[in-house]
Amino acid sequence: MSLRDSRIVVGVTGGVAAFKSVELVRELQRRGASVRVVMTRSAARFVGPITFTGLVGTPPVTDLWDPSYRGEVHVELGEWADAMVVAPATMQFLASAAHGFADDPVLATYACLRGEAVFAPAMHTRMFERASTQRNLARLADDGVHLVGPVSGPLASGEVGLGRMSEPSEIVDALERVLGTRADLAGKKVLVSAGPTYEDLDPVRFLGNRSTGKMGYAIAARAAARGADVTLVSGPSSLEVPKGVNVVRVRSAREMHAAVVGRRDEADAIVMTAAVADYRPAETAEHKIKKGDDLVLRMVRNPDILAELGASRTGPRPVLVGFALETQDVEGSAKRKLEKKKVDLVVGNEASDGFGGDTNKVVIVSRDETRTLPLMSKLDVADALLDRIRDLLAR
Ligand code: CTP
């Protein structure tokens, strides 16, 4: 677990949390990274550039027009960096970055960046919740930017709310995950189910659902990148199997049931993202059903895989995680599912959000707490969930 030999540009924009970027630079250095700093003029009102000169040994870039630079410093830094961390990322910065503006050192370096981008937003709750900010965050997540936080807590205004910048150590943890230098799930066996199930009516027809499998594939990808031994039990899906993941392909709920339950004993954690059909046709016709008068189908219940895993578990292993896709009262339903299915975590999301898309807005419910996460890429949701699973596995 280290950032040794990595090159990180820290971008500081003008918010009160800018004082924490000093600690961020120190934390990056402690973990072995080479750091350069770029800052906006308003950031320099919150924290003195000279502080960074002292820490880093090179003065921060505060002015793209400084004649002492040979060549174009933003291009040079954009090439040099393995990743850029912008912390704090203000509302203004997020809006400008989402729209491709490049008129200050932080924006221009981001514009030239080859490597990964990690932004840590910080602002007042109302600014964060403003529709324009949410739009810009969704756009940046779509562009591949990794967002960390914000979290709830005391704000500069004296109020308490969502909008506080994540702690420097959490930002650096996120960066390590993004750069794949974090093997905190090494030696753990993680089983993930994903996608829809198809319940056959006859040789050419089936009942299915609109699940794409993206969330489950993202979890499998991130778990493998973090060192886990991952088995993905996938219903029909056209997604590419992530690197280093073993895939078991299934079609119906009953096939998925057999594939998951059969591997239960060796798993440290099981994450059920699959949209398992609750019912199947009572009979599957051997030949194609011919049209005639109105057709009445009788449906019978499928096994509830997750509930069965929860009911039959005798100790704390495997850690069990369910997903709850809801159209209303997401948090309440997630809590009820946690109890009913006797699992450790339930990830709730609104059916209207992120269906088939690359982003998701979720709430993670456990017995002790509820964490509401902002809109994030599915890969970042996967990492946030895997952090919780890792903590449960450490108990
Ligand atoms: N699940 C399962 N087996 C099933 C149905 C669901 O393992 N036959 C898992 C899903 O993978 C998911 C969670 O249980 O992790 C979702 O549970 P639930 O919300 O009960 O499924 P719904 O069919 O949406 O339930 P309800 O109709 O009660 O809303």
Side-chain angles (χ1 to χ4, degrees):
M1 244 197 268
S2 119
L3 287 170
R4 202 157 305 288
D5 300 328
S6 63
R7 295 180 295 205
I8 311 299
V9 173
V10 172
V12 186
T13 66
V16 178
F19 76 92
K20 286 201 213 165
S21 54
V22 174
E23 180 52 31
L24 176 73
V25 168
R26 290 180 49 120
E27 183 61 27
L28 287 164
Q29 290 175 323
R30 263 199 291 272
R31 299 198 203 180
S34 301
V35 180
R36 293 285 308 272
V37 177
V38 295
M39 57 201 299
T40 61
R41 284 155 68 109
S42 46
R45 289 171 165 254
F46 288 96
V47 54
I50 206 82
T51 310
F52 292 114
T53 313
L55 281 177
V56 175
T58 317
V61 177
T62 51
D63 178 7
L64 290 174
W65 304 104
D66 185 333
S68 69
Y69 299 129
R70 282 171 286 124
E72 294 178 300
V73 70
H74 55 293
V75 179
E76 204 182 292
L77 286 176
E79 289 271 340
W80 174 83
D82 297 311
M84 178 176 192
V85 182
V86 180
T90 58
M91 181 181 186
Q92 170 76 25
F93 168 78
L94 295 170
S96 305
H99 290 83
F101 289 96
D103 57 352
D104 69 38
V106 181
L107 286 167
T109 304
Y110 168 61
C112 286
L113 187 68
R114 268 186 195 278
E116 301 284 348
V118 175
F119 294 172
M123 64 201 75
H124 188 272
T125 311
R126 280 196 297 282
M127 295 169 92
F128 179 70
E129 287 174 349
R130 182 68 50 202
S132 54
T133 303
Q134 292 300 317
R135 250 193 332 266
N136 292 329
L137 287 167
R139 184 178 271 198
L140 289 166
D142 260 353
D143 291 346
V145 171
H146 304 275
L147 299 167
V148 189
V151 295
S152 289
L155 303 171
S157 61
E159 295 161 85
V160 174
L162 184 63
R164 192 181 156 85
M165 189 172 91
S166 294
E167 289 307 314
S169 64
E170 282 175 25
I171 298 171
V172 181
D173 285 352
L175 175 70
E176 284 191 337
R177 289 192 299 265
V178 165
L179 290 178
T181 54
R182 196 180 169 93
D184 59 350
L185 292 172
K188 302 295 179 205
K189 287 194 159 63
V190 177
L191 189 155
V192 183
S193 75
T197 63
Y198 286 179
E199 309 299 323
D200 287 331
L201 272 174
D202 71 16
V204 297
R205 302 184 181 95
F206 62 86
L207 298 169
N209 61 67
R210 286 171 49 202
S211 167
T212 59
K214 277 188 182 166
M215 192 62 241
Y217 277 61
I219 293 170
R222 293 307 308 155
R226 291 169 65 167
D229 176 352
V230 184
T231 301
L232 176 65
V233 176
S234 176
S237 168
S238 54
L239 297 175
E240 199 181 319
V241 177
K243 212 167 53 188
V245 167
N246 310 306
V247 70
V248 178
R249 294 203 181 269
V250 298
R251 181 173 172 84
S252 65
R254 282 189 295 177
E255 283 175 21
M256 184 170 280
H257 175 262
V260 173
V261 172
R263 290 170 177 79
R264 155 181 57 187
D265 294 342
E266 68 221 36
D268 293 300
I270 299 181
V271 185
M272 290 290 300
T273 72
V276 187
D278 289 320
Y279 296 91
R280 65 175 181 275
E283 278 129 38
T284 304
E286 196 183 331
H287 297 288
K288 188 176 165 214
I289 300 169
K290 291 288 177 195
K291 68 175 147 312
D293 294 335
D294 290 353
L295 178 67
V296 176
L297 280 179
R298 199 170 72 82
M299 308 283 282
V300 294
R301 281 295 299 266
N302 269 329
D304 187 324
I305 305 168
L306 188 60
E308 188 178 317
L309 295 172
S312 60
R313 184 168 61 159
T314 50
R317 298 284 181 276
V319 166
L320 295 176
V321 183
F323 269 68
L325 180 71
E326 306 292 341
T327 51
Q328 56 183 359
D329 185 22
V330 176
E331 192 181 325
S333 316
K335 282 185 180 147
R336 283 191 290 280
K337 261 161 214 176
L338 187 84
E339 294 303 331
K340 200 168 112 199
K341 301 205 182 193
K342 300 191 172 68
V343 299
D344 303 293
L345 299 172
V346 172
V347 183
N349 64 328
E350 187 79 55
S352 57
D353 297 330
F355 209 74
D358 291 323
T359 55
N360 209 352
K361 185 168 176 354
V362 305
V363 42
I364 303 181
V365 175
S366 70
R367 231 149 247 111
D368 335 313
E369 59 171 355
T370 296
R371 285 201 201 175
T372 305
L373 304 185
L375 183 77
M376 292 178 167
S377 72
K378 287 187 174 171
L379 286 169
D380 289 341
V381 172
D383 270 322
L385 177 63
L386 289 165
D387 286 351
R388 301 297 307 281
I389 294 173
R390 175 205 56 207
D391 294 346
L392 289 171
L393 286 171
R395 283 193 190 168

